[in-house]
Amino acid sequence: MKDVIIACDFGSAQQALSFLERFGGCPRKPFVKIGMELYYGAGPDIVREIKARGHRIFLDLKLHDIPNTVRKTMQVLSALDVDMTNVHAAGTIEMMKAAREGLTREDGSRPLLIAVTQLTSTSEERMRSDLLIDATINEAITHYAACAREAGLDGVVCSPLEAAMIKERCGKEFLTVTPGIRFADAAADDQVRITTPARAREIGSDFIVVGRPITAADDPVAAYMRCVKDFIG
Ligand code: C5P
């Protein structure tokens, strides 16, 4: 199940597709993450097009709304045949259950569904002052992960450095999908809590999400294959 997901953070369909064309001769078809920027700019057609080219897709739209709206939206995303999508755990267990119901197709199959716990951009101070959550960030993250598990979700997005703590609370089958990946010899960019693909493997991440170390590399295919070798072996 372990895989490397490339964050296709491009502003237009054309940029995303010409980037993916570079992987034509690659021995592996990359699993691709489509985020809000690309989805809202290019619309659902970009999902259909990338899917038609044989890539698996993580549609990272982080839904957070009333349960009925989330259920209906997830029905639409499920019909797009994505492989993984997500919601904010802050939407409550009821909302996460509704998301799961909406995603489930008539034959019982569905894309993987994961939750965002606390965004990595949220500090403990901000959580306390802006969100009035009087817990440590690790308590909040593990509690939200446990709620996602109770709602029947498959896992969470988290920092690779939180993966072990979450597995301990929710079980080793509970998936951890981890951004914040950098090669040891590269720039951190704006990421703070980072680790290497090899270390993410040791810690127990199931999927790593890698953007700029691949998208901004001189040779993206070589950078991708380096991630695959270090993370999957
Ligand atoms: O370029 P980089 O490797 O930093 O990209 C990481 C990707 O993972 C981006 O699409 C970013 O939005 C996403 N992400 C993240 N941290 C989170 C959740 C998502 O970096 N907590």
Side-chain angles (χ1 to χ4, degrees), residues 31-54:
F31 200 134
V32 168
K33 179 171 92 76
I34 298 176
M36 293 188 212
E37 183 188 2
L38 184 56
Y39 187 79
Y40 290 137
D45 281 348
I46 188 64
V47 176
R48 295 188 189 99
E49 181 60 40
I50 293 177
K51 192 76 195 173
R53 294 174 182 219

mmCIF file with all atom_site columns, all heavy atoms in Angstrom, residues 31-54:
data_model
loop_
_atom_site.group_PDB
_atom_site.id
_atom_site.type_symbol
_atom_site.label_atom_id
_atom_site.label_alt_id
_atom_site.label_comp_id
_atom_site.label_asym_id
_atom_site.label_entity_id
_atom_site.label_seq_id
_atom_site.pdbx_PDB_ins_code
_atom_site.Cartn_x
_atom_site.Cartn_y
_atom_site.Cartn_z
_atom_site.occupancy
_atom_site.B_iso_or_equiv
_atom_site.pdbx_formal_charge
_atom_site.auth_seq_id
_atom_site.auth_comp_id
_atom_site.auth_asym_id
_atom_site.auth_atom_id
_atom_site.pdbx_PDB_model_num
ATOM 1   N N   . PHE A 1 31 ? 1.155   8.449  -8.436  1.00 0.00 ? 31 PHE A N   1
ATOM 2   C CA  . PHE A 1 31 ? -0.079  8.801  -7.719  1.00 0.00 ? 31 PHE A CA  1
ATOM 3   C C   . PHE A 1 31 ? -0.001  10.328 -7.586  1.00 0.00 ? 31 PHE A C   1
ATOM 4   O O   . PHE A 1 31 ? 1.038   10.866 -7.209  1.00 0.00 ? 31 PHE A O   1
ATOM 5   C CB  . PHE A 1 31 ? -0.029  8.132  -6.343  1.00 0.00 ? 31 PHE A CB  1
ATOM 6   C CG  . PHE A 1 31 ? -1.342  7.965  -5.617  1.00 0.00 ? 31 PHE A CG  1
ATOM 7   C CD1 . PHE A 1 31 ? -1.636  6.750  -5.014  1.00 0.00 ? 31 PHE A CD1 1
ATOM 8   C CD2 . PHE A 1 31 ? -2.245  8.997  -5.488  1.00 0.00 ? 31 PHE A CD2 1
ATOM 9   C CE1 . PHE A 1 31 ? -2.830  6.565  -4.306  1.00 0.00 ? 31 PHE A CE1 1
ATOM 10  C CE2 . PHE A 1 31 ? -3.438  8.820  -4.790  1.00 0.00 ? 31 PHE A CE2 1
ATOM 11  C CZ  . PHE A 1 31 ? -3.729  7.605  -4.195  1.00 0.00 ? 31 PHE A CZ  1
ATOM 12  N N   . VAL A 1 32 ? -1.093  11.022 -7.915  1.00 0.00 ? 32 VAL A N   1
ATOM 13  C CA  . VAL A 1 32 ? -1.039  12.484 -8.025  1.00 0.00 ? 32 VAL A CA  1
ATOM 14  C C   . VAL A 1 32 ? -2.012  13.132 -7.048  1.00 0.00 ? 32 VAL A C   1
ATOM 15  O O   . VAL A 1 32 ? -3.143  12.680 -6.910  1.00 0.00 ? 32 VAL A O   1
ATOM 16  C CB  . VAL A 1 32 ? -1.418  12.871 -9.479  1.00 0.00 ? 32 VAL A CB  1
ATOM 17  C CG1 . VAL A 1 32 ? -1.669  14.349 -9.615  1.00 0.00 ? 32 VAL A CG1 1
ATOM 18  C CG2 . VAL A 1 32 ? -0.342  12.426 -10.448 1.00 0.00 ? 32 VAL A CG2 1
ATOM 19  N N   . LYS A 1 33 ? -1.577  14.195 -6.382  1.00 0.00 ? 33 LYS A N   1
ATOM 20  C CA  . LYS A 1 33 ? -2.501  14.962 -5.523  1.00 0.00 ? 33 LYS A CA  1
ATOM 21  C C   . LYS A 1 33 ? -2.958  16.209 -6.270  1.00 0.00 ? 33 LYS A C   1
ATOM 22  O O   . LYS A 1 33 ? -2.128  16.988 -6.753  1.00 0.00 ? 33 LYS A O   1
ATOM 23  C CB  . LYS A 1 33 ? -1.815  15.380 -4.217  1.00 0.00 ? 33 LYS A CB  1
ATOM 24  C CG  . LYS A 1 33 ? -2.745  16.208 -3.324  1.00 0.00 ? 33 LYS A CG  1
ATOM 25  C CD  . LYS A 1 33 ? -2.150  16.425 -1.949  1.00 0.00 ? 33 LYS A CD  1
ATOM 26  C CE  . LYS A 1 33 ? -1.337  17.687 -1.819  1.00 0.00 ? 33 LYS A CE  1
ATOM 27  N NZ  . LYS A 1 33 ? -2.133  18.919 -1.716  1.00 0.00 ? 33 LYS A NZ  1
ATOM 28  N N   . ILE A 1 34 ? -4.281  16.372 -6.371  1.00 0.00 ? 34 ILE A N   1
ATOM 29  C CA  . ILE A 1 34 ? -4.852  17.597 -6.945  1.00 0.00 ? 34 ILE A CA  1
ATOM 30  C C   . ILE A 1 34 ? -5.433  18.387 -5.788  1.00 0.00 ? 34 ILE A C   1
ATOM 31  O O   . ILE A 1 34 ? -6.310  17.902 -5.067  1.00 0.00 ? 34 ILE A O   1
ATOM 32  C CB  . ILE A 1 34 ? -5.957  17.254 -7.969  1.00 0.00 ? 34 ILE A CB  1
ATOM 33  C CG1 . ILE A 1 34 ? -5.372  16.459 -9.132  1.00 0.00 ? 34 ILE A CG1 1
ATOM 34  C CG2 . ILE A 1 34 ? -6.640  18.525 -8.465  1.00 0.00 ? 34 ILE A CG2 1
ATOM 35  C CD1 . ILE A 1 34 ? -6.420  16.002 -10.151 1.00 0.00 ? 34 ILE A CD1 1
ATOM 36  N N   . GLY A 1 35 ? -4.944  19.594 -5.598  1.00 0.00 ? 35 GLY A N   1
ATOM 37  C CA  . GLY A 1 35 ? -5.405  20.426 -4.491  1.00 0.00 ? 35 GLY A CA  1
ATOM 38  C C   . GLY A 1 35 ? -6.404  21.471 -4.955  1.00 0.00 ? 35 GLY A C   1
ATOM 39  O O   . GLY A 1 35 ? -6.828  21.488 -6.110  1.00 0.00 ? 35 GLY A O   1
ATOM 40  N N   . MET A 1 36 ? -6.762  22.345 -4.026  1.00 0.00 ? 36 MET A N   1
ATOM 41  C CA  . MET A 1 36 ? -7.792  23.349 -4.311  1.00 0.00 ? 36 MET A CA  1
ATOM 42  C C   . MET A 1 36 ? -7.432  24.248 -5.489  1.00 0.00 ? 36 MET A C   1
ATOM 43  O O   . MET A 1 36 ? -8.277  24.569 -6.309  1.00 0.00 ? 36 MET A O   1
ATOM 44  C CB  . MET A 1 36 ? -7.994  24.237 -3.082  1.00 0.00 ? 36 MET A CB  1
ATOM 45  C CG  . MET A 1 36 ? -8.596  23.522 -1.905  1.00 0.00 ? 36 MET A CG  1
ATOM 46  S SD  . MET A 1 36 ? -8.992  24.741 -0.651  1.00 0.00 ? 36 MET A SD  1
ATOM 47  C CE  . MET A 1 36 ? -8.745  23.776 0.813   1.00 0.00 ? 36 MET A CE  1
ATOM 48  N N   . GLU A 1 37 ? -6.165  24.659 -5.548  1.00 0.00 ? 37 GLU A N   1
ATOM 49  C CA  . GLU A 1 37 ? -5.762  25.628 -6.583  1.00 0.00 ? 37 GLU A CA  1
ATOM 50  C C   . GLU A 1 37 ? -6.065  25.072 -7.977  1.00 0.00 ? 37 GLU A C   1
ATOM 51  O O   . GLU A 1 37 ? -6.738  25.715 -8.794  1.00 0.00 ? 37 GLU A O   1
ATOM 52  C CB  . GLU A 1 37 ? -4.263  25.920 -6.426  1.00 0.00 ? 37 GLU A CB  1
ATOM 53  C CG  . GLU A 1 37 ? -3.745  26.959 -7.392  1.00 0.00 ? 37 GLU A CG  1
ATOM 54  C CD  . GLU A 1 37 ? -2.223  27.084 -7.358  1.00 0.00 ? 37 GLU A CD  1
ATOM 55  O OE1 . GLU A 1 37 ? -1.553  26.333 -6.618  1.00 0.00 ? 37 GLU A OE1 1
ATOM 56  O OE2 . GLU A 1 37 ? -1.713  27.945 -8.104  1.00 0.00 ? 37 GLU A OE2 1
ATOM 57  N N   . LEU A 1 38 ? -5.601  23.866 -8.221  1.00 0.00 ? 38 LEU A N   1
ATOM 58  C CA  . LEU A 1 38 ? -5.796  23.271 -9.551  1.00 0.00 ? 38 LEU A CA  1
ATOM 59  C C   . LEU A 1 38 ? -7.268  22.913 -9.777  1.00 0.00 ? 38 LEU A C   1
ATOM 60  O O   . LEU A 1 38 ? -7.814  23.156 -10.854 1.00 0.00 ? 38 LEU A O   1
ATOM 61  C CB  . LEU A 1 38 ? -4.889  22.036 -9.688  1.00 0.00 ? 38 LEU A CB  1
ATOM 62  C CG  . LEU A 1 38 ? -4.879  21.344 -11.053 1.00 0.00 ? 38 LEU A CG  1
ATOM 63  C CD1 . LEU A 1 38 ? -4.512  22.313 -12.182 1.00 0.00 ? 38 LEU A CD1 1
ATOM 64  C CD2 . LEU A 1 38 ? -3.906  20.166 -11.047 1.00 0.00 ? 38 LEU A CD2 1
ATOM 65  N N   . TYR A 1 39 ? -7.924  22.373 -8.761  1.00 0.00 ? 39 TYR A N   1
ATOM 66  C CA  . TYR A 1 39 ? -9.319  21.944 -8.932  1.00 0.00 ? 39 TYR A CA  1
ATOM 67  C C   . TYR A 1 39 ? -10.237 23.141 -9.177  1.00 0.00 ? 39 TYR A C   1
ATOM 68  O O   . TYR A 1 39 ? -11.068 23.126 -10.079 1.00 0.00 ? 39 TYR A O   1
ATOM 69  C CB  . TYR A 1 39 ? -9.798  21.152 -7.711  1.00 0.00 ? 39 TYR A CB  1
ATOM 70  C CG  . TYR A 1 39 ? -11.160 20.552 -7.910  1.00 0.00 ? 39 TYR A CG  1
ATOM 71  C CD1 . TYR A 1 39 ? -11.329 19.386 -8.647  1.00 0.00 ? 39 TYR A CD1 1
ATOM 72  C CD2 . TYR A 1 39 ? -12.298 21.161 -7.383  1.00 0.00 ? 39 TYR A CD2 1
ATOM 73  C CE1 . TYR A 1 39 ? -12.590 18.832 -8.858  1.00 0.00 ? 39 TYR A CE1 1
ATOM 74  C CE2 . TYR A 1 39 ? -13.559 20.620 -7.585  1.00 0.00 ? 39 TYR A CE2 1
ATOM 75  C CZ  . TYR A 1 39 ? -13.699 19.455 -8.315  1.00 0.00 ? 39 TYR A CZ  1
ATOM 76  O OH  . TYR A 1 39 ? -14.945 18.915 -8.525  1.00 0.00 ? 39 TYR A OH  1
ATOM 77  N N   . TYR A 1 40 ? -10.077 24.186 -8.373  1.00 0.00 ? 40 TYR A N   1
ATOM 78  C CA  . TYR A 1 40 ? -10.974 25.336 -8.550  1.00 0.00 ? 40 TYR A CA  1
ATOM 79  C C   . TYR A 1 40 ? -10.657 26.094 -9.840  1.00 0.00 ? 40 TYR A C   1
ATOM 80  O O   . TYR A 1 40 ? -11.534 26.699 -10.441 1.00 0.00 ? 40 TYR A O   1
ATOM 81  C CB  . TYR A 1 40 ? -10.898 26.283 -7.339  1.00 0.00 ? 40 TYR A CB  1
ATOM 82  C CG  . TYR A 1 40 ? -11.512 25.679 -6.079  1.00 0.00 ? 40 TYR A CG  1
ATOM 83  C CD1 . TYR A 1 40 ? -10.880 25.817 -4.846  1.00 0.00 ? 40 TYR A CD1 1
ATOM 84  C CD2 . TYR A 1 40 ? -12.711 24.983 -6.122  1.00 0.00 ? 40 TYR A CD2 1
ATOM 85  C CE1 . TYR A 1 40 ? -11.432 25.267 -3.693  1.00 0.00 ? 40 TYR A CE1 1
ATOM 86  C CE2 . TYR A 1 40 ? -13.267 24.424 -4.981  1.00 0.00 ? 40 TYR A CE2 1
ATOM 87  C CZ  . TYR A 1 40 ? -12.626 24.573 -3.774  1.00 0.00 ? 40 TYR A CZ  1
ATOM 88  O OH  . TYR A 1 40 ? -13.169 24.024 -2.642  1.00 0.00 ? 40 TYR A OH  1
ATOM 89  N N   . GLY A 1 41 ? -9.402  26.041 -10.267 1.00 0.00 ? 41 GLY A N   1
ATOM 90  C CA  . GLY A 1 41 ? -9.022  26.726 -11.515 1.00 0.00 ? 41 GLY A CA  1
ATOM 91  C C   . GLY A 1 41 ? -9.445  25.942 -12.740 1.00 0.00 ? 41 GLY A C   1
ATOM 92  O O   . GLY A 1 41 ? -9.953  26.505 -13.713 1.00 0.00 ? 41 GLY A O   1
ATOM 93  N N   . ALA A 1 42 ? -9.228  24.641 -12.718 1.00 0.00 ? 42 ALA A N   1
ATOM 94  C CA  . ALA A 1 42 ? -9.417  23.844 -13.936 1.00 0.00 ? 42 ALA A CA  1
ATOM 95  C C   . ALA A 1 42 ? -10.714 23.034 -13.919 1.00 0.00 ? 42 ALA A C   1
ATOM 96  O O   . ALA A 1 42 ? -11.133 22.516 -14.953 1.00 0.00 ? 42 ALA A O   1
ATOM 97  C CB  . ALA A 1 42 ? -8.221  22.913 -14.120 1.00 0.00 ? 42 ALA A CB  1
ATOM 98  N N   . GLY A 1 43 ? -11.330 22.897 -12.750 1.00 0.00 ? 43 GLY A N   1
ATOM 99  C CA  . GLY A 1 43 ? -12.608 22.181 -12.669 1.00 0.00 ? 43 GLY A CA  1
ATOM 100 C C   . GLY A 1 43 ? -12.445 20.669 -12.693 1.00 0.00 ? 43 GLY A C   1
ATOM 101 O O   . GLY A 1 43 ? -11.330 20.147 -12.801 1.00 0.00 ? 43 GLY A O   1
ATOM 102 N N   . PRO A 1 44 ? -13.588 19.959 -12.612 1.00 0.00 ? 44 PRO A N   1
ATOM 103 C CA  . PRO A 1 44 ? -13.527 18.493 -12.542 1.00 0.00 ? 44 PRO A CA  1
ATOM 104 C C   . PRO A 1 44 ? -12.918 17.838 -13.775 1.00 0.00 ? 44 PRO A C   1
ATOM 105 O O   . PRO A 1 44 ? -12.457 16.699 -13.700 1.00 0.00 ? 44 PRO A O   1
ATOM 106 C CB  . PRO A 1 44 ? -14.993 18.080 -12.355 1.00 0.00 ? 44 PRO A CB  1
ATOM 107 C CG  . PRO A 1 44 ? -15.806 19.283 -12.652 1.00 0.00 ? 44 PRO A CG  1
ATOM 108 C CD  . PRO A 1 44 ? -14.955 20.481 -12.456 1.00 0.00 ? 44 PRO A CD  1
ATOM 109 N N   . ASP A 1 45 ? -12.881 18.543 -14.906 1.00 0.00 ? 45 ASP A N   1
ATOM 110 C CA  . ASP A 1 45 ? -12.285 17.948 -16.110 1.00 0.00 ? 45 ASP A CA  1
ATOM 111 C C   . ASP A 1 45 ? -10.821 17.579 -15.905 1.00 0.00 ? 45 ASP A C   1
ATOM 112 O O   . ASP A 1 45 ? -10.345 16.612 -16.495 1.00 0.00 ? 45 ASP A O   1
ATOM 113 C CB  . ASP A 1 45 ? -12.396 18.914 -17.302 1.00 0.00 ? 45 ASP A CB  1
ATOM 114 C CG  . ASP A 1 45 ? -13.789 18.887 -17.908 1.00 0.00 ? 45 ASP A CG  1
ATOM 115 O OD1 . ASP A 1 45 ? -14.566 17.962 -17.553 1.00 0.00 ? 45 ASP A OD1 1
ATOM 116 O OD2 . ASP A 1 45 ? -14.099 19.774 -18.711 1.00 0.00 ? 45 ASP A OD2 1
ATOM 117 N N   . ILE A 1 46 ? -10.125 18.325 -15.054 1.00 0.00 ? 46 ILE A N   1
ATOM 118 C CA  . ILE A 1 46 ? -8.705  17.996 -14.843 1.00 0.00 ? 46 ILE A CA  1
ATOM 119 C C   . ILE A 1 46 ? -8.587  16.649 -14.111 1.00 0.00 ? 46 ILE A C   1
ATOM 120 O O   . ILE A 1 46 ? -7.656  15.880 -14.365 1.00 0.00 ? 46 ILE A O   1
ATOM 121 C CB  . ILE A 1 46 ? -7.934  19.138 -14.104 1.00 0.00 ? 46 ILE A CB  1
ATOM 122 C CG1 . ILE A 1 46 ? -6.430  18.850 -14.091 1.00 0.00 ? 46 ILE A CG1 1
ATOM 123 C CG2 . ILE A 1 46 ? -8.433  19.351 -12.684 1.00 0.00 ? 46 ILE A CG2 1
ATOM 124 C CD1 . ILE A 1 46 ? -5.766  18.820 -15.421 1.00 0.00 ? 46 ILE A CD1 1
ATOM 125 N N   . VAL A 1 47 ? -9.550  16.365 -13.253 1.00 0.00 ? 47 VAL A N   1
ATOM 126 C CA  . VAL A 1 47 ? -9.535  15.066 -12.560 1.00 0.00 ? 47 VAL A CA  1
ATOM 127 C C   . VAL A 1 47 ? -9.768  13.954 -13.585 1.00 0.00 ? 47 VAL A C   1
ATOM 128 O O   . VAL A 1 47 ? -9.044  12.957 -13.624 1.00 0.00 ? 47 VAL A O   1
ATOM 129 C CB  . VAL A 1 47 ? -10.624 15.021 -11.460 1.00 0.00 ? 47 VAL A CB  1
ATOM 130 C CG1 . VAL A 1 47 ? -10.682 13.652 -10.812 1.00 0.00 ? 47 VAL A CG1 1
ATOM 131 C CG2 . VAL A 1 47 ? -10.358 16.094 -10.410 1.00 0.00 ? 47 VAL A CG2 1
ATOM 132 N N   . ARG A 1 48 ? -10.766 14.148 -14.441 1.00 0.00 ? 48 ARG A N   1
ATOM 133 C CA  . ARG A 1 48 ? -11.082 13.121 -15.457 1.00 0.00 ? 48 ARG A CA  1
ATOM 134 C C   . ARG A 1 48 ? -9.897  12.906 -16.387 1.00 0.00 ? 48 ARG A C   1
ATOM 135 O O   . ARG A 1 48 ? -9.557  11.777 -16.728 1.00 0.00 ? 48 ARG A O   1
ATOM 136 C CB  . ARG A 1 48 ? -12.312 13.555 -16.269 1.00 0.00 ? 48 ARG A CB  1
ATOM 137 C CG  . ARG A 1 48 ? -13.569 13.623 -15.422 1.00 0.00 ? 48 ARG A CG  1
ATOM 138 C CD  . ARG A 1 48 ? -14.814 13.864 -16.295 1.00 0.00 ? 48 ARG A CD  1
ATOM 139 N NE  . ARG A 1 48 ? -15.952 14.128 -15.444 1.00 0.00 ? 48 ARG A NE  1
ATOM 140 C CZ  . ARG A 1 48 ? -16.430 15.354 -15.163 1.00 0.00 ? 48 ARG A CZ  1
ATOM 141 N NH1 . ARG A 1 48 ? -15.872 16.419 -15.695 1.00 0.00 ? 48 ARG A NH1 1
ATOM 142 N NH2 . ARG A 1 48 ? -17.462 15.499 -14.353 1.00 0.00 ? 48 ARG A NH2 1
ATOM 143 N N   . GLU A 1 49 ? -9.245  14.010 -16.767 1.00 0.00 ? 49 GLU A N   1
ATOM 144 C CA  . GLU A 1 49 ? -8.136  13.904 -17.725 1.00 0.00 ? 49 GLU A CA  1
ATOM 145 C C   . GLU A 1 49 ? -6.945  13.161 -17.113 1.00 0.00 ? 49 GLU A C   1
ATOM 146 O O   . GLU A 1 49 ? -6.360  12.276 -17.736 1.00 0.00 ? 49 GLU A O   1
ATOM 147 C CB  . GLU A 1 49 ? -7.719  15.326 -18.172 1.00 0.00 ? 49 GLU A CB  1
ATOM 148 C CG  . GLU A 1 49 ? -6.605  15.377 -19.175 1.00 0.00 ? 49 GLU A CG  1
ATOM 149 C CD  . GLU A 1 49 ? -6.916  14.663 -20.494 1.00 0.00 ? 49 GLU A CD  1
ATOM 150 O OE1 . GLU A 1 49 ? -8.061  14.776 -20.971 1.00 0.00 ? 49 GLU A OE1 1
ATOM 151 O OE2 . GLU A 1 49 ? -6.008  13.982 -21.030 1.00 0.00 ? 49 GLU A OE2 1
ATOM 152 N N   . ILE A 1 50 ? -6.598  13.501 -15.878 1.00 0.00 ? 50 ILE A N   1
ATOM 153 C CA  . ILE A 1 50 ? -5.447  12.849 -15.241 1.00 0.00 ? 50 ILE A CA  1
ATOM 154 C C   . ILE A 1 50 ? -5.763  11.380 -14.965 1.00 0.00 ? 50 ILE A C   1
ATOM 155 O O   . ILE A 1 50 ? -4.926  10.501 -15.139 1.00 0.00 ? 50 ILE A O   1
ATOM 156 C CB  . ILE A 1 50 ? -5.001  13.631 -13.974 1.00 0.00 ? 50 ILE A CB  1
ATOM 157 C CG1 . ILE A 1 50 ? -4.447  15.001 -14.399 1.00 0.00 ? 50 ILE A CG1 1
ATOM 158 C CG2 . ILE A 1 50 ? -3.976  12.857 -13.162 1.00 0.00 ? 50 ILE A CG2 1
ATOM 159 C CD1 . ILE A 1 50 ? -4.024  15.913 -13.249 1.00 0.00 ? 50 ILE A CD1 1
ATOM 160 N N   . LYS A 1 51 ? -7.005  11.120 -14.602 1.00 0.00 ? 51 LYS A N   1
ATOM 161 C CA  . LYS A 1 51 ? -7.440  9.737  -14.371 1.00 0.00 ? 51 LYS A CA  1
ATOM 162 C C   . LYS A 1 51 ? -7.362  8.942  -15.687 1.00 0.00 ? 51 LYS A C   1
ATOM 163 O O   . LYS A 1 51 ? -6.886  7.805  -15.707 1.00 0.00 ? 51 LYS A O   1
ATOM 164 C CB  . LYS A 1 51 ? -8.879  9.769  -13.833 1.00 0.00 ? 51 LYS A CB  1
ATOM 165 C CG  . LYS A 1 51 ? -9.376  8.487  -13.275 1.00 0.00 ? 51 LYS A CG  1
ATOM 166 C CD  . LYS A 1 51 ? -8.820  8.188  -11.907 1.00 0.00 ? 51 LYS A CD  1
ATOM 167 C CE  . LYS A 1 51 ? -9.069  6.728  -11.588 1.00 0.00 ? 51 LYS A CE  1
ATOM 168 N NZ  . LYS A 1 51 ? -8.444  6.262  -10.385 1.00 0.00 ? 51 LYS A NZ  1
ATOM 169 N N   . ALA A 1 52 ? -7.815  9.565  -16.771 1.00 0.00 ? 52 ALA A N   1
ATOM 170 C CA  . ALA A 1 52 ? -7.801  8.881  -18.073 1.00 0.00 ? 52 ALA A CA  1
ATOM 171 C C   . ALA A 1 52 ? -6.377  8.543  -18.505 1.00 0.00 ? 52 ALA A C   1
ATOM 172 O O   . ALA A 1 52 ? -6.160  7.615  -19.277 1.00 0.00 ? 52 ALA A O   1
ATOM 173 C CB  . ALA A 1 52 ? -8.483  9.752  -19.121 1.00 0.00 ? 52 ALA A CB  1
ATOM 174 N N   . ARG A 1 53 ? -5.409  9.304  -17.989 1.00 0.00 ? 53 ARG A N   1
ATOM 175 C CA  . ARG A 1 53 ? -4.002  9.011  -18.315 1.00 0.00 ? 53 ARG A CA  1
ATOM 176 C C   . ARG A 1 53 ? -3.423  7.921  -17.414 1.00 0.00 ? 53 ARG A C   1
ATOM 177 O O   . ARG A 1 53 ? -2.229  7.649  -17.465 1.00 0.00 ? 53 ARG A O   1
ATOM 178 C CB  . ARG A 1 53 ? -3.172  10.292 -18.202 1.00 0.00 ? 53 ARG A CB  1
ATOM 179 C CG  . ARG A 1 53 ? -3.577  11.304 -19.265 1.00 0.00 ? 53 ARG A CG  1
ATOM 180 C CD  . ARG A 1 53 ? -2.870  12.623 -19.077 1.00 0.00 ? 53 ARG A CD  1
ATOM 181 N NE  . ARG A 1 53 ? -3.322  13.574 -20.083 1.00 0.00 ? 53 ARG A NE  1
ATOM 182 C CZ  . ARG A 1 53 ? -2.541  14.444 -20.704 1.00 0.00 ? 53 ARG A CZ  1
ATOM 183 N NH1 . ARG A 1 53 ? -1.263  14.515 -20.399 1.00 0.00 ? 53 ARG A NH1 1
ATOM 184 N NH2 . ARG A 1 53 ? -3.035  15.264 -21.608 1.00 0.00 ? 53 ARG A NH2 1
ATOM 185 N N   . GLY A 1 54 ? -4.267  7.375  -16.551 1.00 0.00 ? 54 GLY A N   1
ATOM 186 C CA  . GLY A 1 54 ? -3.842  6.198  -15.780 1.00 0.00 ? 54 GLY A CA  1
ATOM 187 C C   . GLY A 1 54 ? -3.249  6.488  -14.414 1.00 0.00 ? 54 GLY A C   1
ATOM 188 O O   . GLY A 1 54 ? -2.716  5.586  -13.773 1.00 0.00 ? 54 GLY A O   1
#
